[in-house]
Amino acid sequence: MLAFTYEDSRQVAEKLAEIVKSSSAAAIEKNGRFTIALSGGSLPKILAQGLAQVQGVDFAKWEVFFADERVVPLDHEDSTFHACQEAFFSKVGLKREQIHTLSEELLKENEKDVQNYADEYEGQLVHTFANASTIKVPSFDLIVLGCGPDGHTCSLFPNHELLKEDVAWVAPITDSPKPPKERITLTLPVVTHAHQIVFVATGAAKKTVIKEILEDATSTLPSALITQAAKDRTTWLMDNAASENLSRATLADHF
Ligand SMILES: O=C(O)[C@H](O)[C@@H](O)[C@H](O)[C@H](O)COP(=O)(O)O
């Protein structure tokens, strides 16, 4: 696990974009496509800020999913798709069919059962990944995660039943402690199966939880469970405000 800290979120954004660009190029060279799952919250803006500085990303070969998504209309301000669309999808020429959103059909039917959104989204994963081979769990080329001040990531919250889900690839949650309450989320097996995982955490509100996640090997916080399970494939990008409590030994030298 590599943990890097930077002066401010602009530098975090630059480093994130570099990692995304190299992960994208490697996947496209190997498989002819790049499969990425994005988180919501502050991430869309940070990713957009970094990607605005880089050239040569072959977005036409991207398949974009969401690590979690709020069950709201796609044009709702709480929608992560909407946040990403505004922040950068529209600017980099990603076609709508490359972006795997909540089912517009279920939204149009005003479907109330969140399980149905999760099942339909899992069907999109099966369609995209099962063609590759007879797989047990999809392996994204890259999953970009945020981390809440309570150590949650995606819509996987501390001590929540969902942390035990080890069959479904996508699960519903209707009691999210972070509003809105109704979401769908990738489950731990899918997240920890990614070829590469990058956590992005900025701001002093995270400094306490980040110390537990990165320095307490017994932590059962969702972000810690993922970091421990995918240690060799996980990178943490932070600003100095978020990494303030970490020991020097935890932080890698800038690459
Ligand atoms: O849709 C969401 O809410 C996110 O996927 C969620 O897991 C987010 O990544 C964290 O809550 C961190 O959010 P911030 O980066 O805004 O603190």
Side-chain angles (χ1 to χ4, degrees):
M1 186 279 301
L2 291 171
F4 298 97
T5 188
Y6 297 92
E7 196 53 46
D8 56 28
S9 63
R10 184 185 54 75
Q11 290 179 13
V12 170
E14 279 169 18
K15 198 44 76 182
L16 174 61
E18 263 181 49
I19 293 174
V20 170
K21 179 176 178 180
S22 67
S23 178
S24 169
I28 290 167
E29 188 185 343
K30 184 163 172 271
N31 308 318
R33 70 176 189 180
F34 176 55
T35 56
I36 183 171
L38 300 173
S39 296
S42 62
L43 186 78
K45 283 204 175 81
I46 292 176
L47 187 52
Q49 185 181 19
L51 286 177
Q53 316 300 324
V54 292
Q55 303 299 319
V57 177
D58 190 355
F59 288 104
K61 302 272 180 37
W62 282 31
E63 288 290 339
V64 181
F65 284 81
F66 296 96
D68 63 328
E69 178 59 293
R70 296 88 177 278
V71 182
V72 294
L74 297 186
D75 60 357
H76 190 285
E77 63 175 8
D78 282 346
S79 159
T80 299
F81 163 73
H82 178 70
C84 290
Q85 183 70 4
E86 295 290 294
F88 77 102
F89 286 168
S90 46
K91 297 171 186 142
V92 296
L94 274 167
K95 293 198 184 68
R96 177 66 184 84
E97 56 270 23
Q98 291 175 263
I99 306 165
H100 299 269
T101 67
L102 280 185
S103 161
E104 292 194 80
E105 207 176 310
L106 291 177
L107 287 165
K108 216 178 291 166
E109 290 160 9
N110 203 17
E111 172 58 56
K112 290 293 180 221
D113 184 348
V114 184
Q115 184 66 56
N116 289 341
Y117 291 97
D119 293 346
E120 191 280 338
Y121 205 69
E122 185 166 315
Q124 294 190 52
L125 282 172
V126 169
H127 179 73
T128 299
F129 287 92
N131 297 346
S133 67
T134 49
I135 51 166
K136 290 196 176 51
V137 180
S139 284
F140 279 93
D141 293 310
L142 176 63
I143 297 186
V144 189
L145 297 173
C147 175
D150 60 352
H152 82 261
T153 189
C154 308
S155 291
L156 299 168
F157 291 88
N159 309 310
H160 198 285
E161 269 307 292
L162 268 188
L163 295 179
K164 296 187 191 122
E165 178 56 64
D166 61 4
V167 175
W169 294 354
V170 183
I173 178 169
T174 56
D175 59 349
S176 169
K178 176 180 180 181
K181 283 197 170 307
E182 295 190 337
R183 295 148 168 256
I184 61 171
T185 183
L186 295 183
T187 56
L188 283 178
V190 176
V191 177
T192 54
H193 237 81
H195 291 292
Q196 194 175 6
I197 297 164
V198 176
F199 279 93
V200 177
T202 59
K206 317 266 173 100
K207 69 180 180 184
T208 305
V209 80
I210 282 174
K211 182 159 186 71
E212 175 183 332
I213 292 163
L214 297 186
E215 295 186 351
D216 174 356
T218 65
S219 174
T220 57
L221 293 172
S223 297
L225 295 174
I226 292 165
T227 302
Q228 290 154 14
K231 211 187 296 295
D232 57 334
R233 290 169 281 125
T234 301
T235 301
W236 277 78
L237 301 181
M238 296 160 279
D239 65 2
N240 293 342
S243 68
E244 184 184 343
N245 292 354
L246 293 178
S247 68
R248 236 357 266 122
T250 302
L251 289 164
D253 297 327
H254 285 191
F255 56 87

